[in-house]
Amino acid sequence: MARAARSRTSHPDPPRHPLHRLLRTWLDGVSALPAAVRRAYRSRRTAPAATRGGPPRSAPPLGTAPRRPLRSALGLISVTVLGAWLGLVLIGGVRAPVGPMDTSMALRPSLTGGTRIDVPPLGDLELSSHYGPVRLDVDVDRLDPVRSRALVDHPERFAGLQDEVTHDVTRATLGLALHSCAAVASGAAALGLAVYRRPRRALAAGGLALALLAASAGTAYATWNPKSVLEPRFSGLLSSAPSVVGNARNIVSEFNVYQKELARLVTNVTKLYDATSTLPVYQPDPTTIRVLHVSDIHLNPGSWRIIASLVKQYRINVIIDTGDTMDHGSAAENHFLDPVPSLGAPYVWVRGNHDSRSTQKYLTGRPRVTVLDHGRVARVAGLRLAGVGDPQFTPDRSVVTAGDPAERTAGGRLADSLRTQRLAGTPVDIALAHNPAAVTEADGLAPLALAGHLHHRENTTLPQGTRLMVEGSTGGGGLRAVQNKKPAPVEASVLYLDRTTKRLQAWDEITLGGLGLSRAEVSRHLPRENQPGATPSPSGSPHPAGGPSAAPDGPAHRPARVPSGGPR
């Protein structure tokens, strides 16, 4: 018994190392951590008020703030609005093609609503399309070259462009609506989770954001104003758009009438001039070669009707165009040249600094059109013509010009061609270039040289005897002339050349009032050697005797003028 009692007696634990006791304490704390977390969680979820049917609970400890539902709701709304705004700004935009353009669309918070269209670098266009807490922003990013080229290559697609744009805008708006819903919900939920760290609060913020977006859309729909496009607000370079648009509308609606009246004016002035010509000076005979010199049309469509009228009235044998028929030399402008074969006379053309290689290629090979370049020689209407295209292509001020040295180099190639023709016994009658600096190199190698570029007339005799005639702008500086206070005049010249010697006998300078004006002037000029009382002209054809003695080249007739309201 005593042995059994001794065996049941507990033996005290042997003493342990201090490090072992520290490890044991840490393990006991870790095992008790889940229970402590559960107690803290339950204490936070338990309301301080008494439960149903149970005894009232004790008041919260001193220093614990009571719950405030209004403050909690306002905090949730603030988090939702801020998160939705961040979502719209960061991931709310969409990219969408609209016709040939690539655009970016986005909804942005706003106090007044509306629509803003940004067209860089021209400026902004704002529409009061609706009222509400969101604004629609549309940015025109770029013009897609592939889709734009497809429109240029297939002009018939312009007829359906409006329907295509409408379809693209509808599809882009639907995509923007779906994307905006995802953006506001994601932004509000993410911010709610970061602030509250509770999934239920995050989901509540996302749902509230969707509700706010739906309410904003309903407000915009209820206040939608489709007539806002009639009263836009412009900023930046577009601030002059209202006046430009107004001028453009007037030009489009009345331009056909203007062309017809101007052509009739040319016809009547010509008849008036013939009827009042009484001085005993040069009168062209049916065998005379009549050349119409035009230049610098610059995309003015009214020029074609004027040229056709002059060809008919003056019985023109050949039209010579010394370049700058285009404005920017783009492929889209090439169809402007389609009336050329139907003007009523062969058309000879040299490239100007606003005409591209694409323009030259488009004209080459067209019926009744001769393109001259690199000193090429062609025989047209009994005349031997040689020309060189402008070596510079400067459609706008972003291109740095090479200056007169490049022009003189091109003129040197023209001069080499003229020397070769002279040595071969086939001299050239007229040398052509766009810039006078280039064609001046042909001095002494051809009796007559024609150019343009300056937008005003100049008539000089070069040191070696070549007559240089620079024509003004037959397009009146182009349609951009409407931007000037006074439109530039429309200028062209009719040259009379002897069929045998190919020498210049006389020329008529025709000047018409610019866009919107109906003034016209025609004046005839004679070379010094062909004026009354001078020595016979190289052709040897008789000229009436008498009259004033030889004088410098000038008008032999008083100009015939028809003011506004004159005969038609």
Side-chain angles (χ1 to χ4, degrees), residues 453-464:
H453 184 65
L454 302 182
H455 287 210
H456 65 267
R457 290 193 182 101
E458 288 188 5
N459 195 321
T460 58
T461 301
L462 300 177
Q464 300 299 321

Side-chain angles (χ1 to χ4, degrees), residues 427-450:
V428 170
D429 302 314
I430 305 178
L432 309 175
H434 175 67
N435 195 311
V439 79
T440 301
E441 299 297 314
D443 184 20
L445 300 174
L448 182 61
L450 303 182

Side-chain angles (χ1 to χ4, degrees), residues 76 79-80 181 184-212:
L76 180 61
V79 170
T80 300
C181 290
V184 297
S186 301
L191 187 60
L193 187 61
V195 172
Y196 296 106
R197 300 182 182 179
R198 295 171 61 183
R200 288 188 180 182
R201 287 277 181 165
L203 292 178
L208 183 58
L210 289 176
L212 292 176

Side-chain angles (χ1 to χ4, degrees), residues 300-509:
N300 188 342
S303 300
W304 299 134
R305 193 179 292 271
I306 295 172
I307 292 174
S309 178
L310 292 173
V311 168
K312 182 178 180 180
Q313 293 300 317
Y314 284 85
R315 300 185 295 277
I316 297 298
N317 300 107
V318 57
I319 306 168
I320 294 179
D321 185 346
T322 48
D324 270 7
T325 313
M326 300 306 207
D327 219 356
H328 298 90
S330 64
E333 297 174 348
N334 286 341
H335 291 287
F336 171 75
L337 300 168
D338 290 344
V340 168
S342 60
L343 292 176
Y347 198 89
V348 179
W349 183 85
V350 292
R351 187 180 68 253
N353 61 294
H354 282 262
D355 304 318
S356 65
R357 301 281 179 173
S358 172
T359 302
Q360 179 166 314
K361 183 178 179 181
Y362 187 83
L363 267 178
T364 302
R366 296 186 69 82
R368 310 190 75 183
V369 176
T370 301
V371 176
L372 299 180
D373 196 6
H374 306 295
R376 179 195 168 198
V377 180
R379 186 177 182 87
V380 183
L383 297 172
R384 291 183 59 79
L385 310 172
V388 62
D390 199 299
Q392 306 181 78
F393 179 51
T394 56
D396 52 52
R397 297 182 180 180
S398 65
V399 179
V400 179
T401 60
D404 286 349
E407 301 293 342
R408 287 192 288 269
T409 300
R413 291 194 294 269
L414 175 61
D416 292 341
S417 175
L418 297 179
R419 292 190 186 93
T420 302
Q421 295 296 321
R422 172 175 288 186
L423 292 175
T426 55
V428 170
D429 302 314
I430 305 178
L432 309 175
H434 175 67
N435 195 311
V439 79
T440 301
E441 299 297 314
D443 184 20
L445 300 174
L448 182 61
L450 303 182
H453 184 65
L454 302 182
H455 287 210
H456 65 267
R457 290 193 182 101
E458 288 188 5
N459 195 321
T460 58
T461 301
L462 300 177
Q464 300 299 321
T466 296
R467 178 179 294 276
L468 172 60
M469 304 184 74
V470 179
E471 189 54 77
S473 174
T474 309
L479 286 181
R480 66 177 65 181
V482 300
Q483 301 173 358
N484 302 327
K485 294 182 179 180
K486 184 178 180 180
V490 176
E491 298 178 328
S493 298
V494 178
L495 315 181
Y496 302 96
L497 280 74
D498 186 272
R499 185 169 292 275
T500 303
T501 63
K502 310 302 187 296
R503 297 285 176 155
L504 181 67
Q505 302 297 300
W507 71 92
D508 289 342
E509 293 181 350

Side-chain angles (χ1 to χ4, degrees), residues 129-132 214-226:
S129 56
H130 65 277
Y131 296 97
S216 301
T219 304
Y221 180 78
T223 59
W224 178 252
N225 179 23

Side-chain angles (χ1 to χ4, degrees), residues 46-93:
T46 303
T51 58
R52 289 185 184 178
R57 299 201 176 189
S58 60
L62 185 63
T64 302
R67 284 185 172 272
R68 297 179 180 178
L70 180 59
R71 183 177 179 180
S72 178
L74 291 177
L76 180 61
I77 293 175
S78 301
V79 170
T80 300
V81 171
L82 180 58
W85 179 79
L86 290 175
L88 285 177
V89 171
L90 297 178
I91 60 174

